[in-house]
Amino acid sequence: MNLTVILPEVTVYLRERLHENAAAFMLKKHPFNEVTNLELTQQLIGLQKARNKFPSFFENDQIIYPPKVNLEQTSSQTTAVYKSQIFKIDSMIDLTGGFGVDVSAFAKACPTTTHIELSSQLQEYAQHSFKEQGLQTKSYCADGMQFLKENNSQYDLIYIDPSRKTASHSKAVLLKDYEPNVIENLELLLEKGKQIMIKTSPMLDITAGLQQLKYVSSLHIVAVKNEVKELLWILNKDQVDTPVVKCVNLLTDQPVFESVIKYKSIGRYSSPLKYLYEPNAAVMKSQEFDAILEQYPLAKLDQDAHLFTSQHLIDFPGRVFEIKSVIDNKPKKIKRLYGKSARGVVTRNHKESVVQLRKKYQFSEHETDYLFFTSSEELGSIVIEAIKV
């Protein structure tokens, strides 16, 4: 780690070139003898990524950034802050601390924080960032699980973000293939922590996760602007039969959706009424569609369409549309009414993809005027013309 990259003249130089392509920047001649092109480019990439991904780091000229691969695997500041606000705690430890974005957020809400990182190089970057942020986080270069075994401390919260990219899997899908293996270490984690928070990929199957982790009390499905970023599994020693799922869509004004996970079917159907509702990505991931019917005065269009309708407008965790018309899914009629028009296109329980439909009917894009190609329990295959509310 070369401290030269945060000298005032170097920082000004880099911030004036944030718009430049990193590969081209790497090949240029730069007016600094104490820092290599590789080090300069690494810092430039870090600043470029930090501007949107962790803006509080970007605003601090003393932060030194690790290689690009480490930044790509790091939580965003938005999700890190969300995690830090789930519990009111006095102590926490991050067993897979990385660059330290998560633990930095926790340190602003929790009196005692500990950061563990296996890579000595990455731990050095993180430790420097804690110092420059004025955080009192303790940081150690160690194996997280081994640190727990050899340490007698107890923590209010143990946080772990096991790696999906391992020696044997370029992108692990199954929980047992993550490193470290949290399934094999559940008893150790629960012995040392009152609460355990495990971050996994949004691709992880929820049913399998509930079965393998055993002690799940709640699951947070975290989306940012309707893109699911991570699943947060909360475990404690008091095993519960009915875990709670909480779906959040950060950086939107959509309400949080929360439900007890259970498996039953509520058969409340209706043909399209005045308003149409499309659950956000976090709710879609949860598959808790019957819970929506329990909590909101809505009806399903169809069992497999995952769209809802109502006569009166409600606040909903997802996109809301006002229905203008409903027609049978007949190509000649669709082409006559809507062909070559500007439309947003959504498919739900429909055999043709959005790409195929756009090509077939020559639709151009539109931000508010939509066509939903879907199905209705009462009407069969239909097309709904709607305007985004």
Side-chain angles (χ1 to χ4, degrees):
M1 187 170 64
N2 187 348
L3 296 177
T4 304
V5 296
I6 53 174
L7 289 176
E9 59 269 28
V10 179
T11 298
V12 170
Y13 182 81
L14 290 173
R15 287 183 178 272
E16 288 175 347
R17 288 159 178 78
L18 288 174
H19 63 283
E20 293 194 16
N21 175 272
F25 181 85
M26 175 77 175
L27 299 175
K28 289 183 177 180
K29 181 175 177 59
H30 303 288
F32 306 107
N33 297 324
E34 298 82 11
V35 58
T36 66
N37 276 24
L38 179 60
E39 290 167 332
L40 271 179
T41 305
Q42 181 173 305
Q43 186 70 359
L44 177 70
I45 293 172
L47 288 166
Q48 289 171 335
K49 286 193 169 292
R51 180 160 48 177
N52 294 318
K53 195 170 184 180
F54 11 88
S56 68
F57 282 52
F58 178 77
E59 292 165 6
N60 188 331
D61 287 340
Q62 299 305 301
I63 301 295
I64 301 178
Y65 296 96
K68 180 181 178 181
V69 64
N70 299 127
L71 296 177
E72 290 174 343
Q73 296 170 4
T74 296
S75 298
S76 70
Q77 184 176 322
T78 298
T79 59
V81 170
Y82 175 79
K83 280 174 276 199
S84 73
Q85 296 174 343
I86 293 176
F87 299 110
K88 185 172 179 56
I89 52 176
D90 292 322
S91 64
M92 69 81 63
I93 184 170
D94 185 343
L95 298 182
T96 52
F99 184 41
V101 173
D102 282 315
V103 79
S104 292
F106 275 105
K108 294 169 185 175
C110 172
T112 305
T113 51
T114 305
H115 168 272
I116 309 295
E117 171 50 45
L118 185 59
S119 164
S120 59
Q121 181 190 48
L122 190 52
Q123 186 263 340
E124 185 181 10
Y125 282 104
Q127 192 169 37
H128 175 81
S129 80
F130 301 145
K131 176 186 173 185
E132 297 304 332
Q133 293 177 83
L135 304 176
Q136 300 302 312
T137 298
K138 296 177 182 176
S139 181
Y140 303 96
C141 178
D143 176 282
M145 290 302 179
Q146 196 62 36
F147 184 90
L148 272 191
K149 291 175 184 176
E150 298 172 356
N151 182 2
N152 293 324
S153 297
Q154 297 284 320
Y155 302 93
D156 290 339
L157 177 68
I158 295 176
Y159 174 72
I160 182 168
D161 177 8
S163 176
R164 272 78 79 189
K165 294 182 179 180
T166 68
S168 55
H169 296 83
S170 60
K171 201 167 187 180
V173 175
L174 302 176
L175 193 56
K176 67 180 180 65
D177 295 325
Y178 284 29
E179 289 183 2
N181 188 325
V182 292
I183 300 173
E184 291 180 351
N185 288 282
L186 275 183
E187 298 304 323
L188 172 65
L189 292 168
L190 291 164
E191 176 190 339
K192 299 288 187 175
K194 293 179 183 178
Q195 302 272 0
I196 314 301
M197 184 187 296
I198 303 172
K199 171 186 166 182
T200 68
S201 161
M203 299 302 292
L204 187 70
D205 181 76
I206 290 177
T207 302
L210 291 169
Q211 292 172 345
Q212 293 171 332
L213 293 174
K214 299 179 185 177
Y215 299 94
V216 177
S217 61
S218 63
L219 169 63
H220 294 244
I221 303 176
V222 183
V224 179
K225 293 183 177 179
N226 211 40
E227 180 182 355
V228 179
K229 295 294 187 179
E230 54 197 52
L231 306 182
L232 301 175
W233 306 81
I234 311 300
L235 286 63
N236 58 47
K237 293 174 185 175
D238 299 323
Q239 184 176 356
V240 295
D241 295 327
T242 53
V244 172
V245 62
K246 190 171 184 178
C247 304
V248 297
N249 195 12
L250 303 176
L251 302 185
T252 74
D253 58 1
Q254 293 175 6
V256 173
F257 175 72
E258 187 171 328
S259 170
V260 173
I261 297 175
K262 49 188 178 290
Y263 303 97
K264 66 176 183 178
S265 179
I266 299 175
R268 189 163 76 233
Y269 301 104
S270 171
S271 56
L273 300 171
K274 186 173 182 180
Y275 295 100
L276 185 70
Y277 303 85
E278 179 190 36
N280 65 43
V283 177
M284 290 294 292
K285 175 64 181 180
S286 79
Q287 297 287 296
E288 289 291 304
F289 303 117
D290 288 320
I292 290 177
L293 296 179
E294 289 183 336
Q295 296 183 33
Y296 295 96
L298 300 172
K300 293 179 182 177
L301 291 189
D302 195 10
Q303 176 61 32
D304 299 316
H306 307 321
L307 293 170
F308 300 82
T309 190
S310 73
Q311 189 62 38
H312 303 287
L313 182 65
I314 65 168
D315 191 19
F316 182 77
R319 296 196 296 180
V320 183
F321 300 82
E322 184 176 355
I323 296 173
K324 292 302 179 184
S325 64
V326 180
I327 65 170
D328 294 334
N329 187 3
K330 294 182 177 179
K332 288 185 179 179
K333 189 172 185 179
I334 296 168
K335 185 173 287 188
R336 176 170 55 83
L337 291 174
Y338 307 116
K340 298 182 180 180
S341 64
R343 303 282 171 173
V345 178
V346 177
T347 60
R348 289 286 184 270
N349 198 33
H350 185 77
K351 63 182 179 180
E352 293 174 288
S353 69
V354 171
V355 172
Q356 290 173 324
L357 290 169
R358 285 198 171 282
K359 182 177 180 181
K360 182 177 181 178
Y361 297 111
Q362 300 180 51
F363 294 133
S364 57
E365 295 284 354
H366 202 280
E367 292 185 358
T368 58
D369 296 354
Y370 277 74
L371 291 177
F372 285 79
F373 290 74
T374 186
S375 60
S376 163
E377 180 79 7
E378 298 179 1
L379 304 176
S381 184
I382 58 173
V383 177
I384 303 173
E385 179 188 1
I387 297 177
K388 190 176 179 182
V389 174

